[in-house]
Amino acid sequence: MTQLEYARKGRLTQAMRKVAADEGVDPDSLLALIASGKVVIPFNPRHISSDSGGEGRRTSRGAGGSPARGSRRGGEDRQPLGGPQRPVGIGFSLRTKVNVNIGTSADFPRLEDELKKVAVSLKYSADTIMDLSTGGDLRKIRRRILRRSPIPLGTVPVYQAAIEAIDSRRSIVKMTADDLFATIEAQAQEGVDFMTVHCGLTQKAISRLRNQGRVADIVSRGGAFHLAWMLYHDKENPLYANYDRLLDIARRYDITLSLGDGLRPGSILDATDRPQVEELLTLGELVKRAWEAGVQVMVEGPGHIPLDQIEMNVKLQKRVCNEAPFYVLGPLVTDIAPGYDHLVSAIGGAIAAAAGADFLCYVTPAEHLGLPTVDDVREGLIASRIAAHAADIVKGVKGALERDLKVSRARKKLDWGAQQKLVIDPHKFEEIRKRRRSRTKACSMCGEYCAMRIVSKFLDSHGKADDFCF
Amino acid sequence: MTQLEYARKGRLTQAMRKVAADEGVDPDSLLALIASGKVVIPFNPRHISSDSGGEGRRTSRGAGGSPARGSRRGGEDRQPLGGPQRPVGIGFSLRTKVNVNIGTSADFPRLEDELKKVAVSLKYSADTIMDLSTGGDLRKIRRRILRRSPIPLGTVPVYQAAIEAIDSRRSIVKMTADDLFATIEAQAQEGVDFMTVHCGLTQKAISRLRNQGRVADIVSRGGAFHLAWMLYHDKENPLYANYDRLLDIARRYDITLSLGDGLRPGSILDATDRPQVEELLTLGELVKRAWEAGVQVMVEGPGHIPLDQIEMNVKLQKRVCNEAPFYVLGPLVTDIAPGYDHLVSAIGGAIAAAAGADFLCYVTPAEHLGLPTVDDVREGLIASRIAAHAADIVKGVKGALERDLKVSRARKKLDWGAQQKLVIDPHKFEEIRKRRRSRTKACSMCGEYCAMRIVSKFLDSHGKADDFCF
């Protein structure tokens, strides 16, 4: 059974208990949110990581194609024991989550680099990782990343299916629907927890794209693969035409579907246009069918969006998709700042999450320029985490504002040690402090003229400070 | 006469013409906005910079205490020829402006470092600079920065007055009102274009501060100096009590007053509280008096503000201060990210500017930790420039969206040279491209699987691409 099916039967799974404990929320309330589809827990029981010495567990239970022990036995205490060791809940009322995209490319196919990106993602508290590899031995890379990742792992299966068709038959258009579904099932068997599937990119949507005209057409790689295939064959998108087949795989392995937005705008001038909204309407219908099939589902969203259209986009998705969790890329609020698109996305992401988006896909400083380095991954992740936290404060997420209170109190006391423990990046904090040290107890910006110090002295004593100096 | 007085008489000054040309707006419309107080042009005719070889001009006309040639002669073509060589307009309907704070501290008093910060500020298109020096020879530092700055220069005169009192008489409380006004006039004579004056921090506001209670009390350095003085002497703020004296100096030298917010929140938990709003109400009254005296004026605003209170703060200021230009610091949308406060401020700044704020004071990665380095200044400035541009797109500022269109078109064509010329930081663009080079014409993220490339091929040919490969 999927987490959604367990929830509908009122059965609390271990994954639900862990998520409830992590979020500090009542398990029964969480169960109700999962049952309603407003929250998903991407949790493939076949995902076995070696995070806490589980290499042995992997050998006995993982990646072999046979069902994980204990799955589908039912009963409150008999749910599968596999799955990501640190499951996360994504959706309404929970902490805004952050995904990190990693993966090789043809130009940079080294597995070792990607494993370093996994490590830095975990160090800076990513909630999920997506492996978007397109270079090297895709299967091997994915399996290694899976084993290193105690958090949910996502993929975009059409990448592998398309690249294998190109490698073996010289073109994406030689990919068959069976190839695509076989890849999806193989990845499910390996333990992938959630998958981006571009089911809403239909012929109708392409015709609306032609009718509208766009500055940047399609910038989604998966969307581009589908479009090429559909135009060449003059056929409907196989993921749309055979959606029930997809749902069947997703239900059997409890893959959380992330309905991709192949038509997300790639320039702010294309934002919220008719093809984008056409695709969203289809995704709303597919959400409903996923729920009917007992499959967990979330919806992906833009993209490049001007600042004043972000809240509207979130509200539109929530309404049209019946409150399914919303997973946004960025949004990027301008196109003119490559090199700083992590920051551009932090602006958009904070606004989106505050408006109700549940899940932010990070963007790195290398976006639009090249495959990110390990440092780029760290910078991108921290930027998105700041955006998510800024939103969680105003969403009223448990514990968010309390953290700001603690930092502010430590700051007021000039307690640098306490601050360092509480801030989002203690390493950066220490590095800047060391580089710009003050001879005073305050910082080197103000030194003896520190406002905190002056005000404590005079406000507390009603002006009768014990001496004139400071 | 001040720019405001010229505008009221319907006289276009050279500064107005330059600003109108720079913004691409009609000079007469600009004049009307200046006359109404909705736009200011900080422009002290005594500000003589050597930007275009003007060292000689400085010798003959600058910094000597005598009025600049041609000032107050009146007549359309007889306005002063001095003033910042690149004047800027700040306010309604114009491009959102960005200020860079530089200046020494006791821990880092080196002038040379600050002159490098001037250079990097100009390179990355700062609109104004404020010299907030508190270490070393303040007068010498300020004069050198003024000469290097072809853009308007601002100061906070109470810093110098307070520090001189501490140096000579061991305490801020030994500063006299005459000391403060003498410093203001001396800086005006030197050519400072705008000054932050904490006129709204009244005894009433301090009593509201006590009544409210705060996590971080006062974090404004100028505010702290005033509070110490006021509490010790149990007297009203001299800048409030003698506001007419301040207005007289400001009118004589055409100093644009920037009414400081000494009670701006220093923690998001203190945002929009009663002391903050009390001070704002007073500032609104002082705006009116400045206008009556023919003095250009803008209003400073927070500070640390949660995301969902930013728009409200901007609208409140605009209403209470009769649409006077609004100059915000940040706002910072969380307290937990020192080391990244440039990014935290870009989130808040973009939202504030989109809601109507006119002028962003940048924040660097070193904020809350130490005096910024030259690199920190560059990072902070670029972050604020991105925020300002993201807002200008939705404000409908002339030329803003067109720039995104050009970048997007070049991106779609994979024209890297054209992109590099158009983006906000061509150096960073090139650096990342070089570091992560692709063997293809696309970037190393996707290489041959570039969506732009695939879509161009298949969409334009209606699926009949000339070959299967890409």
Side-chain angles (χ1 to χ4, degrees):
Chain A
M1 287 206 293
T2 65
Q3 297 291 322
L4 174 56
E5 290 170 320
Y6 281 120
R8 283 178 179 164
K9 289 189 190 296
R11 293 189 186 169
L12 272 173
T13 63
Q14 290 189 8
M16 294 176 204
R17 289 184 202 279
K18 280 187 180 179
V19 168
D22 174 49
E23 300 272 349
V25 299
D26 170 56
D28 291 322
S29 311
L30 178 66
L31 182 140
L33 287 167
I34 296 166
S36 75
K38 290 185 188 177
V39 166
V40 295
I41 299 183
F43 190 87
N44 182 344
R46 291 165 189 254
H47 177 172
I48 311 295
S49 68
S50 55
D51 181 50
S52 52
E55 282 285 334
R57 295 170 65 203
R58 182 189 59 80
T59 310
S60 64
R61 301 174 49 208
S66 61
R69 208 164 30 188
S71 67
R72 264 172 293 141
R73 280 191 205 155
E76 183 156 359
D77 295 305
R78 296 199 195 160
Q79 299 99 19
L81 296 169
Q85 294 179 21
R86 292 191 242 148
V88 298
I90 299 166
F92 180 73
S93 77
L94 303 184
R95 191 165 44 78
T96 302
K97 302 305 184 296
V98 174
N99 175 72
V100 162
N101 286 338
I102 64 169
T104 57
S105 71
D107 288 305
F108 295 99
R110 276 169 47 87
L111 170 62
E112 286 311 311
D113 292 345
E114 302 313 308
L115 294 180
K116 282 183 199 157
K117 293 178 189 173
V118 173
V120 83
S121 299
L122 298 175
K123 180 173 176 185
Y124 286 94
S125 305
D127 295 293
T128 64
I129 293 173
M130 290 190 78
D131 170 24
L132 306 186
S133 291
T134 58
D137 182 340
L138 303 185
R139 235 168 268 255
K140 180 182 161 199
I141 292 165
R142 184 170 56 247
R143 289 178 186 208
R144 291 290 300 279
I145 290 173
L146 255 170
R147 274 158 51 192
R148 289 282 179 93
S149 175
I151 56 179
L153 190 92
T155 58
V156 188
V158 74
Y159 291 179
Q160 185 183 344
I163 289 167
E164 287 178 353
I166 294 166
D167 287 348
S168 62
R169 279 158 281 166
R170 293 191 55 246
S171 177
I172 166 67
V173 302
K174 295 292 188 180
M175 179 188 79
T176 67
D178 285 342
D179 292 338
L180 183 51
F181 285 106
T183 304
I184 291 169
E185 182 147 12
Q187 293 193 6
Q189 285 177 348
E190 287 173 20
V192 169
D193 299 288
F194 64 103
M195 294 180 188
T196 293
V197 277
H198 299 86
C199 308
L201 179 57
T202 59
Q203 289 286 357
K204 175 71 183 171
I206 293 174
S207 112
R208 288 216 138 111
L209 172 66
R210 287 194 193 283
N211 176 279
Q212 174 101 47
R214 265 191 172 183
V215 174
D217 290 326
I218 287 183
V219 295
S220 152
R221 197 158 46 176
F225 286 143
H226 281 286
L227 172 125
W229 191 96
M230 292 162 66
L231 289 181
Y232 183 81
H233 295 288
D234 196 18
K235 281 191 180 165
E236 191 49 277
N237 180 342
L239 293 179
Y240 181 75
N242 307 289
Y243 187 60
D244 287 332
R245 188 171 170 186
L246 177 64
L247 290 177
D248 178 62
I249 300 171
R251 199 188 52 75
R252 280 192 284 121
Y253 296 89
D254 198 1
I255 303 303
T256 298
L257 295 183
S258 188
L259 298 175
D261 53 335
L263 286 167
R264 69 167 179 271
S267 159
I268 57 166
L269 288 106
D270 295 336
T272 330
D273 64 358
R274 294 185 296 273
Q276 181 198 319
V277 178
E278 166 68 31
E279 184 178 38
L280 181 66
L281 297 180
T282 303
L283 297 185
E285 290 158 355
L286 299 180
V287 163
K288 197 176 156 203
R289 287 172 62 187
W291 286 344
E292 285 164 2
V295 168
Q296 299 194 93
V297 65
M298 53 191 171
V299 174
E300 295 185 14
H304 293 239
I305 300 279
L307 212 139
D308 61 349
Q309 292 180 30
I310 295 174
E311 183 179 349
M312 174 267 280
N313 265 273
V314 176
K315 290 194 188 317
L316 181 65
Q317 181 276 343
K318 287 285 176 184
R319 177 74 182 120
V320 162
C321 301
N322 293 82
E323 315 284 327
F326 196 25
Y327 176 23
V328 296
L329 174 59
L332 290 96
V333 294
T334 177
D335 304 334
I336 71 161
Y340 300 88
D341 278 333
H342 61 308
L343 188 150
V344 171
S345 295
I347 296 173
I351 298 169
D358 307 285
F359 192 18
L360 303 180
C361 187
Y362 90 151
V363 170
T364 79
E367 184 76 16
H368 301 111
L369 297 173
L371 197 76
T373 61
V374 176
D375 278 346
D376 291 328
V377 168
R378 191 194 64 239
E379 287 290 312
L381 173 53
I382 290 172
S384 281
R385 294 246 300 124
I386 291 170
H389 177 78
D392 284 347
I393 291 167
V394 305
K395 276 180 170 176
V397 168
K398 204 163 173 172
L401 189 60
E402 286 68 19
R403 193 166 166 197
D404 290 73
L405 177 59
K406 284 179 190 161
V407 171
S408 294
R409 284 191 173 143
R411 182 173 285 158
K412 167 92 174 130
K413 285 191 268 182
L414 301 179
D415 183 343
W416 301 100
Q419 282 183 74
Q420 189 177 341
K421 284 192 195 104
L422 291 161
V423 300
I424 208 156
D425 185 355
H427 313 284
K428 175 78 92 178
F429 184 96
E430 191 182 13
E431 178 199 316
I432 297 179
R433 286 273 299 163
K434 273 193 179 163
R435 175 160 39 93
R436 305 298 275 173
R437 218 184 278 281
S438 176
R439 286 159 298 184
T440 68
K441 208 195 151 194
C443 90
S444 63
M445 169 81 89
C446 301
E448 62 178 330
Y449 311 124
C450 173
M452 300 287 195
R453 191 161 158 264
I454 298 171
V455 171
S456 295
K457 200 160 178 173
F458 282 85
L459 195 62
D460 298 348
S461 69
H462 286 253
K464 302 307 162 218
D466 53 353
D467 66 62
F468 289 168
C469 308
F470 41 80
Chain B
M1 289 209 294
T2 65
Q3 297 290 324
L4 175 56
E5 290 170 319
Y6 281 119
R8 284 176 179 166
K9 289 190 191 295
R11 292 191 186 168
L12 273 173
T13 63
Q14 289 188 7
M16 294 178 206
R17 288 184 202 279
K18 279 188 179 177
V19 168
D22 175 48
E23 301 271 349
V25 298
D26 170 56
D28 291 321
S29 311
L30 178 67
L31 182 140
L33 287 167
I34 295 167
S36 74
K38 289 185 188 177
V39 166
V40 295
I41 299 182
F43 190 86
N44 182 343
R46 290 166 189 251
H47 177 171
I48 310 295
S49 68
S50 56
D51 182 51
S52 52
E55 282 285 335
R57 294 171 65 203
R58 181 189 60 80
T59 310
S60 63
R61 301 174 48 208
S66 62
R69 209 163 30 185
S71 66
R72 267 173 289 142
R73 280 191 205 154
E76 182 157 1
D77 294 305
R78 296 201 196 160
Q79 299 101 18
L81 295 169
Q85 294 179 20
R86 292 192 243 148
V88 298
I90 299 166
F92 180 74
S93 78
L94 302 184
R95 193 164 44 78
T96 302
K97 302 304 184 297
V98 174
N99 174 70
V100 163
N101 287 338
I102 63 168
T104 58
S105 71
D107 288 305
F108 295 98
R110 275 170 47 89
L111 170 62
E112 286 311 311
D113 292 345
E114 301 314 306
L115 294 180
K116 283 183 198 157
K117 293 178 190 174
V118 173
V120 84
S121 299
L122 297 175
K123 180 174 177 186
Y124 286 95
S125 306
D127 294 293
T128 63
I129 293 175
M130 289 190 79
D131 170 24
L132 306 186
S133 292
T134 57
D137 182 340
L138 304 185
R139 235 170 269 255
K140 179 182 161 199
I141 292 165
R142 185 171 54 247
R143 288 178 187 208
R144 291 290 301 280
I145 290 173
L146 255 170
R147 274 160 50 192
R148 288 283 179 91
S149 174
I151 56 179
L153 190 91
T155 58
V156 189
V158 74
Y159 291 178
Q160 184 183 344
I163 288 167
E164 287 178 352
I166 294 165
D167 287 348
S168 61
R169 281 157 280 167
R170 293 192 54 246
S171 177
I172 166 67
V173 303
K174 295 291 189 181
M175 179 187 79
T176 66
D178 284 343
D179 291 340
L180 183 51
F181 285 107
T183 304
I184 290 169
E185 183 147 10
Q187 294 193 6
Q189 285 177 348
E190 286 173 19
V192 169
D193 300 289
F194 63 105
M195 295 182 188
T196 292
V197 277
H198 299 87
C199 308
L201 179 58
T202 58
Q203 288 286 356
K204 174 72 183 169
I206 293 175
S207 112
R208 289 215 138 111
L209 172 66
R210 287 196 193 283
N211 176 279
Q212 173 101 46
R214 264 189 173 184
V215 173
D217 291 325
I218 287 182
V219 296
S220 151
R221 198 157 45 175
F225 286 142
H226 281 285
L227 172 125
W229 191 95
M230 291 162 67
L231 289 180
Y232 182 82
H233 294 289
D234 195 18
K235 280 190 180 164
E236 191 48 278
N237 180 342
L239 292 179
Y240 181 76
N242 307 290
Y243 186 61
D244 286 334
R245 187 170 170 188
L246 178 64
L247 291 177
D248 178 62
I249 300 171
R251 199 188 51 73
R252 279 192 284 122
Y253 296 89
D254 198 1
I255 303 301
T256 298
L257 295 183
S258 188
L259 297 175
D261 53 336
L263 287 167
R264 68 167 179 270
S267 159
I268 57 164
L269 289 107
D270 296 335
T272 331
D273 63 358
R274 294 185 297 274
Q276 181 198 318
V277 179
E278 165 68 30
E279 185 179 38
L280 181 66
L281 297 180
T282 303
L283 298 185
E285 290 158 357
L286 298 180
V287 163
K288 196 175 156 203
R289 287 173 62 188
W291 286 344
E292 286 164 2
V295 168
Q296 298 195 94
V297 65
M298 54 189 170
V299 174
E300 295 187 12
H304 293 239
I305 301 280
L307 211 139
D308 61 348
Q309 292 179 31
I310 294 173
E311 183 179 348
M312 174 267 281
N313 266 272
V314 176
K315 290 195 188 317
L316 181 64
Q317 182 275 345
K318 286 285 176 186
R319 177 74 182 120
V320 162
C321 301
N322 292 83
E323 314 285 327
F326 196 24
Y327 176 22
V328 296
L329 173 59
L332 290 95
V333 294
T334 176
D335 304 332
I336 72 162
Y340 300 88
D341 279 333
H342 60 309
L343 188 149
V344 171
S345 296
I347 296 172
I351 299 169
D358 307 286
F359 191 19
L360 303 180
C361 187
Y362 91 150
V363 170
T364 79
E367 185 75 15
H368 301 112
L369 297 173
L371 197 77
T373 62
V374 176
D375 278 346
D376 291 328
V377 168
R378 191 193 62 238
E379 287 290 312
L381 172 52
I382 291 171
S384 282
R385 292 246 302 124
I386 291 170
H389 178 78
D392 284 346
I393 291 167
V394 306
K395 276 179 169 176
V397 168
K398 204 163 174 173
L401 189 60
E402 286 69 17
R403 193 165 167 197
D404 290 72
L405 176 61
K406 284 179 191 162
V407 171
S408 294
R409 283 193 173 143
R411 183 173 284 158
K412 167 92 174 130
K413 284 190 268 181
L414 300 179
D415 182 342
W416 301 100
Q419 281 182 74
Q420 189 177 342
K421 284 192 197 105
L422 290 162
V423 299
I424 208 156
D425 185 357
H427 314 284
K428 174 79 91 177
F429 183 96
E430 191 181 14
E431 178 200 316
I432 296 180
R433 286 274 300 162
K434 273 192 179 164
R435 174 162 39 92
R436 306 297 275 173
R437 216 184 281 281
S438 175
R439 284 160 300 184
T440 68
K441 208 195 150 194
C443 90
S444 63
M445 168 82 88
C446 301
E448 63 178 328
Y449 310 125
C450 173
M452 301 286 197
R453 192 160 158 265
I454 298 171
V455 172
S456 294
K457 199 160 179 174
F458 282 85
L459 195 62
D460 297 349
S461 69
H462 287 253
K464 302 306 163 221
D466 53 354
D467 65 63
F468 289 168
C469 309
F470 39 82

